[in-house]
């Protein structure tokens, strides 16, 4: 299989066929012939090598390279994946479209458009990029049709760090809406290419930082008749500083990668060689230094030995050597 300078990152099984019959769970099914279809997730070797070099420089090992959309699917419930859904991850630089049906990933596409594209569009209004980002977050609306204040002017707001020339809210939101409409049209095209356009009962599930834009769900519903809802992390995440971390859609990919690492990685066993420590002999006390032991007394007291030999067993038990010495 020629990969043209790419490495396989993930192998995702799609369907199995046993004696020509499709099955999702081949374990326990009898047959004489089995076939399988898989999806290969590949990435450029140069990018993968550079990422590994960065990790290795901080004295860590790379256990696995995982595409972010594969980790982000933890925002989906099992019923959503079984009935069929489209997971749309609105990131900063890209938007990822993942189509699920019968619990399996059926189609995956990465669009080179995201939240940064909208910010750059706003800079065309003669606004600095950092100010454009703040205007987008504080005043942006992807569906401004029913806004009563769209003709109002935005004035510099030093409190929120927004220092810009006066701009109409309607003009700002029109720029935002145009870019989101372009992204949505590309998303709908990818769903059509998947071949599951009419089989996705759970509709669209939005996640990622750029999915928090006001009016985005309403704009989505205008473009499609399917259900549109926000996707949140399906697992309980405990964090002291951010109690509702699992509800932050901007961290969906990051949390998914962390959970995947917790499941698939293990602690590296470090073999520590035992250190042999010789016991320290206690120094004798002054009393012990002055008084010799019994063996020493017997050796240095021949008079006592002579008396013991003379009287036999008489003094074996009751003889007081100190008295004999005296």
């Amino acid at each position: 299989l020629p990969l043209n300078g790419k490495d396989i990152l993930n192998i995702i099984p799609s369907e199995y066929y046993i004696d020509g019959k499709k099955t999702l769970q081949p374990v326990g099914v009898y047959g004489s012939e089995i076939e399988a279809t898989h999806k290969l997730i590949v990435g450029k070797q140069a990018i993968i090598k550079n990422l590994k070099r960065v990790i290795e420089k901080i004295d860590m090992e790379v256990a696995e390279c995982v595409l972010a959309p594969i980790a982000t699917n933890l925002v989906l419930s099992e019923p959503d994946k079984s009935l069929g859904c489209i997971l749309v991850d609105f990131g900063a630089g890209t938007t990822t479209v993942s189509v699920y049906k019968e619990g399996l990933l059926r189609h995956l596409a990465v669009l080179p458009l995201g939240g940064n594209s909208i910010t750059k569009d706003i800079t065309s209004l003669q606004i600095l990029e950092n100010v454009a980002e703040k205007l987008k977050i504080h005043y942006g609306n992807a569906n401004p049709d029913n806004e009563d204040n769209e003709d109002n002017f935005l004035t510099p707001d030093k409190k929120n760090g927004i220092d810009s020339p006066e701009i109409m809210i309607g003009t700002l939101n029109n720029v935002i809406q145009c870019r989101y409409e372009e992204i949505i049209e590309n998303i709908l095209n990818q769903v059509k290419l998947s071949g599951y356009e009419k089989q996705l009962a759970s509709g669209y599930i939005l996640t990622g930082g750029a999915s928090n834009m006001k009016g985005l769900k309403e704009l989505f519903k205008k473009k499609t008749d399917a259900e549109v809802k926000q996707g949140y992390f399906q697992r309980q995440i405990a964090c002291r500083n951010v109690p509702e971390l699992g509800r932050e859609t901007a961290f969906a990919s990051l949390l998914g990668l962390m959970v995947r690492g917790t499941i698939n990685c293990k602690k590296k066993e470090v073999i520590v060689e035992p250190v042999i420590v010789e016991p320290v002999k206690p120094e004798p006390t002054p009393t012990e230094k002055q008084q010799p032991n019994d063996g020493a007394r017997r050796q240095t007291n021949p008079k006592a030995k002579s008396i013991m030999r003379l009287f036999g067993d008489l003094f074996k038990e009751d003889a007081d050597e100190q008295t004999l010495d005296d």
Side-chain angles (χ1 to χ4, degrees):
L1 179 65
L3 296 178
N4 299 325
K6 296 180 181 179
D7 286 339
I8 298 176
L9 299 179
N10 299 102
I11 301 176
I12 303 174
S14 296
E15 295 172 334
Y16 295 91
Y17 295 87
I18 298 180
D19 294 339
K21 295 182 180 180
K22 184 176 74 171
T23 178
L24 298 178
Q25 296 294 337
V27 179
V29 181
Y30 291 94
S32 59
E33 184 178 348
I34 183 171
E35 298 178 6
T37 60
H38 294 78
K39 294 187 181 298
L40 302 181
I41 307 297
V42 299
K44 291 184 178 180
Q45 292 178 351
I47 297 176
I48 297 171
K49 287 181 180 179
N50 290 337
L51 289 173
K52 288 183 177 180
R53 288 195 189 102
V54 172
I55 300 300
E56 290 169 356
K57 282 187 176 181
I58 57 175
D59 295 331
M60 296 183 69
E61 295 182 8
V62 178
E64 183 185 10
C65 290
V66 182
L67 200 65
I70 305 300
T72 310
N73 67 11
L74 289 177
V75 305
L76 302 176
S77 63
E78 290 303 323
D80 287 334
K81 290 192 288 186
S82 180
L83 293 172
C85 65
I86 308 102
L87 175 62
V88 182
D89 184 5
F90 285 94
T94 60
T95 298
T96 306
V97 184
S98 306
V99 179
Y100 286 86
K101 180 65 177 178
E102 296 178 336
L104 299 174
L105 177 64
R106 302 294 185 173
H107 184 76
L108 176 65
V110 180
L111 306 176
L113 300 170
N116 290 344
S117 304
I118 300 170
T119 302
K120 290 180 180 179
D121 290 345
I122 298 174
T123 60
S124 64
L125 303 176
Q126 306 303 316
I127 298 173
L128 294 176
E129 187 170 345
N130 63 329
V131 177
E133 179 70 17
K134 294 174 182 177
L135 287 173
K136 180 184 72 175
I137 295 173
H138 287 88
Y139 303 103
N141 191 331
N143 185 42
D145 294 348
N146 297 324
E147 287 292 308
D148 296 330
N149 60 346
E150 63 178 5
D151 293 330
N152 293 343
F153 282 88
L154 290 174
T155 56
D157 187 355
K158 299 295 181 63
K159 183 179 179 181
N160 292 322
I162 301 175
D163 187 8
S164 66
E166 287 189 348
I167 180 176
M168 292 178 61
I169 295 180
T171 304
L172 172 69
N173 288 332
N174 284 336
V175 173
I176 294 174
Q177 183 182 22
C178 289
R179 179 61 75 177
Y180 268 114
E181 285 180 344
E182 180 188 4
I183 296 175
I184 292 173
E185 290 296 333
N186 281 275
I187 293 170
L188 298 178
N189 183 56
Q190 290 298 325
V191 175
K192 186 177 180 179
L193 292 174
S194 72
Y196 291 89
E197 185 179 8
K198 304 296 182 181
Q199 306 177 43
L200 306 171
S202 290
Y204 291 82
I205 300 175
L206 312 182
T207 189
S211 69
N212 293 322
M213 176 61 64
K214 181 180 178 182
L216 180 58
K217 288 194 292 185
E218 289 75 15
L219 182 62
F220 243 107
K221 290 178 181 179
K222 284 183 178 181
K223 301 294 182 180
T224 177
D225 296 331
E227 180 184 359
V228 181
K229 58 184 177 182
Q230 201 78 24
Y232 299 105
F233 212 64
Q234 296 294 317
R235 300 194 181 195
Q236 293 293 331
I237 301 294
C239 181
R240 190 186 316 170
N241 298 328
V242 188
E244 296 295 327
L245 184 61
R247 308 290 292 180
E248 292 287 343
T249 57
F251 302 136
S253 295
L254 177 61
L255 292 175
L257 290 169
M258 292 177 65
V259 170
R260 187 180 179 92
T262 303
I263 295 172
N264 294 342
C265 296
K266 64 179 181 179
K267 292 182 179 179
K268 183 178 179 181
E269 296 182 359
V270 179
I271 300 175
V272 180
E273 296 182 359
V275 179
I276 300 175
V277 180
E278 295 182 359
V280 180
K281 295 180 180 180
E283 295 182 1
T285 60
T287 306
E288 292 176 344
K289 291 180 179 179
Q290 295 173 2
Q291 296 180 358
N293 55 28
D294 291 344
R297 277 199 206 109
R298 291 191 182 99
Q299 293 177 0
T300 57
N301 197 347
K303 183 179 179 181
K305 291 182 178 180
S306 300
I307 294 174
M308 292 296 295
R309 286 195 299 269
L310 180 62
F311 291 97
D313 296 334
L314 181 62
F315 296 99
K316 268 187 179 179
E317 300 295 335
D318 300 327
D320 186 343
E321 293 182 13
Q322 184 65 37
T323 305
L324 295 175
D325 291 339
D326 295 338

